[in-house]
Amino acid sequence: MQKLGLNEIRERYLSFFESKGHLRLPSFPLVPQNDPSILLINAGMTPLKPYFTGKEVPPRKRITTCQKCIRTPDIERVGKTARHGTFFEMLGNFSFGDYFKREATAWAWEFVTQDLKLPVDRLWVSIYKEDDEAFEIWTKEVGVAPDRIVRMGKEDNFWEHGTGPCGPCSEIYFDRGEEAGCGDPNCAVGCDCDRFVEFWNLVFTQFDKDEQGNYNRLPNPNIDTGMGLERLAAIMQGVNSLFEVDTVKNIMEHVSKVAGVKYKEDPKKDISLRVITDHIRSTTFMVSDGILPSNEGRGYVLRRLLRRAARHGKLLGIEKPFLYEVAETVINESKEAYPELEEKREYIKKVIKVEEERFDETIDQGLNILNQYIAELKEANQKILSGDKAFRLYDTYGFPIDLTREILAEQGMGIDEEGFNHEMNEQRERARAARQEADSAAWGNDVFSKMDRNISTQFTGYFQFASISRVLAIIKGNTEVDKASKGEQVTILLDQTPFYGESGGQVGDTGVLESNNVKIRVLDCKKQGEGRFLHICEIESGEVSKNDEVKAVIDLERRKAISRNHTATHLLQKALRNVLGDHVAQSGSQVAPDRLRFDFSHYSAMTKEEIDKVEREVNRVVLDSLPIEAKEMPIEEAKKMGATALFGEKYGSIVRLVKMGDYSLELCGGSHLTSTSQVGAFKIISEGGVAAGVRRIEAVTGLEALDYFANKEKALEEVAVILKSSSSDIVKKAEALVNELKTSQKEVENLRNKLVRSSADDILSKAVHVKGIKVVTARMDELDMDGLRNMGDTLRNKLGSGVVALATGNEGKVNFVVMATKDVVAKGIHAGNIIKEVAKTAGGGGGGRPDMAQAGGKDVSKIDEALNKVIGLIEQQIK
């Protein structure tokens, strides 16, 4: 059996199916496109779902891909076994109503036995127990021995997910030999041991399951196959796990070098090596696809993987950020198949490094909370941390549960594991229920899915702003109707339209549909993947019927404003890349008539100088009056020309290229101007962050920019009147007033400090002794929170030894500060526990360290009552 590298196997597979008439598509991003049912792509067929359901037309009826995938249900088991991983690549060949079982099985067998040369006597096939057709094809046409075929039940060999397309499947297994088995004489295909490895699943999608549970035969059945690349590579390379496959092994060797440890020398360290190796593969690919660490959704998955890997780095003794360095090896191993890794190399490393540095801060925050929990356990004479608190540390603060166990064990304590697992299971159930509900919705039927697939719209609106069109369909609610009349809100499909359908960040056109019999106001226009344009309408007069002819006219002035802003987004993206660097990539946009919004990847706020530089560059290109050309061409030709594409966007074989002089070249289906000078003027009105590593610019162009300048000028004149100054002298006048205010504030601060010093001695003279500890309490409504803390520090220093408790109440808001000197803390005083009870009396809450704590409250009338509790609380702590 030949030994092949993972990268060579991938290429062989894709080339093999290209030779069988399949279109090779690059891997789709890990972020699902227009599919709310899942967080991350988890199978090769997932991004192709619209082709299987008929919602979109595939670029070819035969497709082959190698899809990067992430699965996280077993994340806690990753590292503990040599089998589990979160990232993998899925090879697949797909037929959309073209070939079926005969070709799928024949080609699968040809590839594994003739191309890969896997020994036939070590291959097994499983089929669905009722699929006699598959048995006949495998045995009589493909030539597999009948005794090498195993029939299995629905759970193993029938693919379905709720309603919709489904069908039986057939799997190919590799026998790794008796030495890899469990020793049971009945060990066979289907056993849970490591002997029989399933590596290729052929799904025969031949049924459509309806709401009543009936399996209706599809007129054009599909083929969906999936083969784990790493699993196949392990077979071809004769190794026992994915971590020993060549490309993965090279990543682990990099980790081993940084940590100064070797694999298979220490089982505990091996767990950490596997965790880091798997997780850095996942995170590198996730970041390259535009995912950024956050506290929700797929960003939370990324953060969790990164922090788990960083934690295991610390267990191996690595104290500095290192994952971003290991990402280099991940990129080098896979960059030929996934060129986006190389394109975003520096960006990927930056994102990972920043998150590693943030994790160090999280560790500190988690330790503070855990230490507080430990103090509470000691005070209550308990040794078990509740499951909900352990889960809160893990889930809310990202504090690894194994670290919580380790630190508690050092204190002779433990965790309520049952309670923790209960909380974990509750969270999993909530997530699973949400996924199932969303998945069912994603495969659901609506009026459009039942519509004739031949009903589509020709868009004529790039250069024509009116057309004579025929009404193909009228939708009211979720029902297709034959006619509609005045006052009704409907969705209308036309055979051709000048209305741009909302897509690519550009809003839809508005306008009218009219004839002698009817006038219809078009409120919006949306585009469906099937090439249908949905005109969202309100009928103002008359009646419209299916097959009527209407004149479709867009609001031209509004379209011009939209086009100005869309052209400006192209200029903006290019200017941002020139000023900030090539890591800048579009993360989202909205192009409306009144403004544009552009989201882009960048890890820090732009400086005033950078914003000015970008704005000036865009306006310079506007003044250069560059010609704007848009033309359709094959996608490969566009890429050779250096066109910028939106990563993750689905492009057909023919694309529309928008060229602005020699400055900007982008793939875009939006509406544009004919010259950059038509933008008029470009003004950035805001720049800010919307997520970790994503910035947002809002800008205006044309008449909106002129209005913006006019409003600024008006505001300047109004300020000048208020300051009794001319517009030209307003800055000098403002500076003079600010200096005057600073002088006044210094005088006020000096007077306040004198007051504090004089009142400090008065407060100290009223100190009381509680079991040998001096205690000072005071209410100081004239101070804000900062002043209260400063007074607390002053009193504690002058006191030398004891406890200070202060409160202030202003405008219905209460603040408390409790401070204790180190010697009384050693006697059992805990400022955080004192303030928790004090604040509760005033309707608030808070906490803090044993030596210093602060809190808030809501009831000013309860301040004195709250302070009076301090003496009793101190007496309890001394006991």
Side-chain angles (χ1 to χ4, degrees):
M1 191 167 69
Q2 55 188 332
K3 188 174 182 178
L4 300 175
L6 181 142
N7 288 323
E8 185 180 351
I9 294 171
R10 184 198 299 112
E11 181 55 36
R12 279 199 180 201
Y13 179 90
L14 296 172
S15 295
F16 175 84
F17 279 99
E18 277 186 308
S19 73
K20 304 297 183 184
H22 290 65
L23 172 67
R24 181 198 297 212
L25 291 181
S27 171
F28 291 87
L30 288 166
V31 179
Q33 305 297 304
N34 302 316
D35 185 352
S37 64
I38 51 170
L39 281 180
L40 295 158
I41 294 298
N42 55 12
M45 66 77 60
T46 306
L48 304 175
K49 231 193 282 186
Y51 300 151
F52 283 108
T53 61
K55 285 191 174 182
E56 292 184 20
V57 178
R60 195 181 295 176
K61 287 189 174 183
R62 299 181 182 184
I63 284 175
T64 184
T65 64
C66 181
Q67 177 64 46
K68 47 197 173 184
C69 303
I70 299 262
R71 289 182 187 170
T72 56
D74 295 322
I75 187 172
E76 298 298 336
R77 299 185 68 186
V78 173
K80 294 178 182 176
T81 74
R83 292 198 290 180
H84 288 85
T86 58
F87 177 84
F88 62 97
E89 296 178 63
M90 182 73 81
L91 297 166
N93 57 286
F94 310 92
S95 166
F96 306 104
D98 186 14
Y99 64 83
F100 198 46
K101 291 183 188 179
R102 283 184 169 78
E103 295 86 349
T105 53
W107 291 336
W109 198 250
E110 179 185 346
F111 180 69
V112 297
T113 59
Q114 296 182 32
D115 197 301
L116 297 184
K117 293 182 170 48
L118 287 174
V120 174
D121 61 352
R122 299 183 72 174
L123 295 175
W124 291 77
V125 173
S126 71
I127 61 172
Y128 178 49
K129 62 182 181 180
E130 296 178 9
D131 195 356
D132 294 331
E133 179 188 19
F135 182 82
E136 290 291 311
I137 292 172
W138 275 117
T139 55
K140 294 182 179 179
E141 296 183 28
V142 179
V144 178
D147 60 356
R148 307 293 288 188
I149 297 179
V150 180
R151 291 179 183 258
M152 291 188 176
K154 204 167 189 180
E155 185 178 335
D156 295 301
N157 279 69
F158 195 95
W159 185 91
E160 65 180 339
H161 203 112
T163 59
C166 58
C169 57
S170 185
E171 299 170 317
I172 304 178
Y173 289 77
F174 181 79
D175 181 0
R176 297 177 63 236
E178 288 186 22
E179 64 277 10
C182 55
D184 189 323
N186 295 318
C187 180
V189 171
C191 181
D192 287 334
C193 72
D194 292 336
R195 176 174 175 177
F196 296 95
V197 180
E198 178 267 310
F199 64 92
W200 202 346
N201 186 14
L202 316 177
V203 179
F204 310 129
T205 313
Q206 63 193 62
F207 299 116
D208 182 10
K209 184 180 179 184
D210 62 25
E211 298 288 346
Q212 288 72 44
N214 300 312
Y215 293 91
N216 304 302
R217 195 91 183 187
L218 286 170
N220 296 303
N222 303 315
I223 287 294
D224 159 25
T225 84
M227 175 158 57
L229 177 56
E230 291 86 352
R231 191 176 290 189
L232 179 60
I235 291 171
M236 297 300 300
Q237 294 172 26
V239 296
N240 295 323
S241 80
L242 69 95
F243 295 98
E244 296 173 60
V245 169
D246 58 342
T247 56
V248 186
K249 182 181 177 184
N250 291 339
I251 298 166
M252 183 183 282
E253 286 177 350
H254 189 157
V255 179
S256 297
K257 185 177 179 181
V258 175
V261 298
K262 286 187 177 181
Y263 190 49
K264 292 189 174 180
E265 286 190 352
D266 182 335
K268 194 172 181 180
K269 290 179 178 177
D270 286 351
I271 291 174
S272 294
L273 287 172
R274 288 193 289 263
V275 168
I276 296 167
T277 300
D278 170 77
H279 289 7
I280 192 59
R281 290 182 81 210
S282 295
T283 54
T284 298
F285 276 91
M286 288 172 78
V287 173
S288 80
D289 281 357
I291 302 170
L292 292 162
S294 69
N295 288 327
E296 59 184 17
R298 58 184 67 93
Y300 177 70
V301 175
L302 172 59
R303 173 162 284 167
R304 188 178 172 199
L305 292 171
L306 267 172
R307 292 186 171 187
R308 193 165 187 259
R311 161 65 184 146
H312 278 274
K314 291 182 184 297
L315 289 177
L316 292 177
I318 307 171
E319 293 300 329
K320 63 173 185 175
F322 74 101
L323 293 171
Y324 75 98
E325 295 176 350
V326 182
E328 287 270 12
T329 300
V330 180
I331 293 168
N332 291 338
E333 293 295 328
S334 300
K335 64 185 180 182
E336 288 185 17
Y338 305 101
E340 64 271 14
L341 292 173
E342 181 61 50
E343 293 167 8
K344 300 185 178 183
R345 181 186 291 266
E346 294 307 314
Y347 172 69
I348 293 168
K349 289 168 59 183
K350 178 76 178 290
V351 171
I352 292 174
K353 186 178 182 183
V354 168
E355 185 61 20
E356 285 188 89
E357 292 166 349
R358 284 181 177 168
F359 178 63
D360 284 337
E361 298 168 13
T362 300
I363 282 284
D364 294 338
Q365 184 184 20
L367 281 172
N368 287 335
I369 296 166
L370 181 55
N371 287 335
Q372 186 177 326
Y373 288 162
I374 290 171
E376 290 170 358
L377 287 172
K378 286 181 177 178
E379 190 178 330
N381 242 357
Q382 296 176 353
K383 291 195 171 183
I384 299 297
L385 182 67
S386 67
D388 65 319
K389 286 183 176 177
F391 181 74
R392 194 178 307 132
L393 265 173
Y394 168 79
D395 192 51
T396 305
Y397 299 100
F399 200 72
I401 188 65
D402 51 354
L403 183 56
T404 301
R405 288 194 191 96
E406 187 179 322
I407 294 170
L408 286 170
E410 291 170 359
Q411 300 288 331
M413 298 176 174
I415 295 173
D416 172 12
E417 298 282 353
E418 189 175 334
F420 176 79
N421 291 332
H422 174 74
E423 295 289 338
M424 283 289 290
N425 289 331
E426 286 283 308
Q427 186 196 56
R428 286 196 187 106
E429 285 302 317
R430 287 192 296 270
R432 187 178 293 116
R435 280 198 304 272
Q436 287 175 348
E437 185 176 339
D439 202 51
S440 296
W443 284 87
N445 294 323
D446 59 17
V447 64
F448 299 108
S449 64
K450 298 170 185 173
M451 193 175 285
D452 185 345
R453 288 179 62 181
N454 294 319
I455 292 180
S456 62
T457 310
Q458 180 187 358
F459 177 63
T460 62
Y462 284 130
F463 302 107
Q464 295 178 14
F465 308 121
S467 70
I468 302 299
S469 305
R470 186 167 62 88
V471 176
L472 298 179
I474 305 170
I475 312 297
K476 184 178 178 183
N478 196 35
T479 306
E480 188 173 351
V481 296
D482 289 331
K483 61 178 64 178
S485 54
K486 181 180 177 180
E488 291 186 311
Q489 292 192 340
V490 294
T491 298
I492 293 178
L493 277 73
L494 303 174
D495 64 340
Q496 61 176 353
T497 184
F499 285 81
Y500 184 87
E502 180 181 355
S503 59
Q506 180 173 325
V507 299
D509 281 330
T510 62
V512 294
L513 307 178
E514 55 188 348
S515 69
N516 293 333
N517 303 322
V518 69
K519 182 174 182 181
I520 303 169
R521 180 68 53 191
V522 179
L523 307 173
D524 196 3
C525 184
K526 298 184 182 295
K527 183 181 177 183
Q528 277 193 327
E530 302 87 344
R532 297 173 183 154
F533 285 68
L534 311 181
H535 303 78
I536 316 301
C537 304
E538 182 175 336
I539 301 176
E540 293 188 346
S541 64
E543 183 179 81
V544 63
S545 299
K546 189 175 178 181
N547 293 320
D548 280 357
E549 272 197 353
V550 292
K551 185 176 182 182
V553 184
I554 68 169
D555 181 338
L556 187 55
E557 288 307 311
R558 184 175 180 273
R559 165 72 84 82
K560 286 178 180 177
I562 293 169
S563 298
R564 279 194 289 270
N565 285 329
H566 204 150
T567 293
T569 60
H570 286 222
L571 302 179
L572 174 60
Q573 177 166 226
K574 180 63 175 177
L576 284 168
R577 289 172 69 88
N578 288 346
V579 173
L580 301 179
D582 289 340
H583 66 277
V584 168
Q586 182 175 336
S587 300
S589 70
Q590 185 183 47
V591 181
D594 58 334
R595 68 178 56 197
L596 67 90
R597 188 186 74 208
F598 188 78
D599 297 345
F600 59 98
S601 53
H602 188 54
Y603 233 91
S604 59
M606 290 178 68
T607 64
K608 179 68 169 64
E609 291 73 21
E610 288 171 337
I611 293 172
D612 289 345
K613 199 170 180 181
V614 166
E615 191 175 84
R616 191 169 186 82
E617 181 169 328
V618 171
N619 279 304
R620 178 185 59 76
V621 178
V622 169
L623 293 174
D624 284 345
S625 193
L626 301 179
I628 299 174
E629 304 172 76
K631 57 182 177 180
E632 293 186 344
M633 62 178 62
I635 189 168
E636 293 305 322
E637 184 181 337
K639 286 181 177 178
K640 286 177 185 175
M641 292 175 67
T644 300
L646 280 182
F647 187 69
E649 189 77 14
K650 289 182 183 177
Y651 294 104
S653 56
I654 301 297
V655 294
R656 186 168 180 264
L657 184 69
V658 177
K659 183 174 183 288
M660 300 182 186
D662 292 327
Y663 184 74
S664 171
L665 197 65
E666 290 191 36
L667 301 183
C668 180
S671 65
H672 288 279
L673 309 168
T674 56
S675 168
T676 58
S677 62
Q678 293 170 322
V679 171
F682 174 83
K683 177 62 184 174
I684 294 174
I685 57 176
S686 70
E687 189 277 343
V690 291
V694 179
R695 309 297 298 176
R696 171 173 292 172
I697 279 178
E698 292 196 1
V700 288
T701 63
L703 295 174
E704 292 291 338
L706 293 180
D707 288 344
Y708 178 83
F709 296 134
N711 290 334
K712 287 288 184 184
E713 187 175 15
K714 183 181 177 183
L716 193 64
E717 289 170 353
E718 289 174 355
V719 172
V721 171
I722 293 170
L723 296 181
K724 297 178 181 178
S725 168
S726 65
S727 298
S728 58
D729 291 332
I730 194 171
V731 175
K732 289 180 182 178
K733 182 71 174 180
E735 286 177 345
L737 285 173
V738 169
N739 291 332
E740 187 178 325
L741 182 61
K742 285 180 180 178
T743 302
S744 299
Q745 286 174 335
K746 283 182 182 178
E747 291 174 359
V748 170
E749 190 63 33
N750 290 333
L751 289 171
R752 182 178 286 163
N753 289 335
K754 286 179 183 177
L755 178 64
V756 168
R757 284 194 295 271
S758 63
S759 61
D761 294 333
D762 183 49
I763 293 170
L764 288 171
S765 69
K766 297 175 184 176
V768 296
H769 288 75
V770 181
K771 294 187 179 294
I773 294 176
K774 280 193 281 188
V775 181
V776 169
T777 62
R779 176 173 179 169
M780 310 188 76
D781 288 346
E782 68 275 11
L783 298 179
D784 59 12
M785 192 61 193
D786 288 337
L788 206 64
R789 278 195 297 265
N790 292 337
M791 174 60 94
D793 286 331
T794 300
L795 290 171
R796 182 170 57 176
N797 293 336
K798 286 195 171 191
L799 198 62
S801 173
V803 178
V804 176
L806 305 176
T808 179
N810 284 306
E811 299 176 354
K813 186 178 179 183
V814 180
N815 285 307
F816 295 100
V817 168
V818 176
M819 296 183 177
T821 55
K822 289 184 179 180
D823 60 317
V824 299
V825 170
K827 293 179 181 180
I829 294 299
H830 193 294
N833 293 339
I834 292 172
I835 208 165
K836 190 184 298 180
E837 296 303 318
V838 169
K840 195 183 295 181
T841 304
R849 304 189 307 269
D851 61 332
M852 190 274 177
Q854 63 186 51
K858 299 174 183 176
D859 193 343
V860 176
S861 69
K862 297 285 188 181
I863 290 179
D864 295 330
E865 182 184 338
L867 287 174
N868 288 337
K869 284 194 170 184
V870 173
I871 303 296
L873 291 167
I874 290 175
E875 287 177 339
Q876 290 175 20
Q877 289 192 354
I878 294 302
K879 283 180 185 177

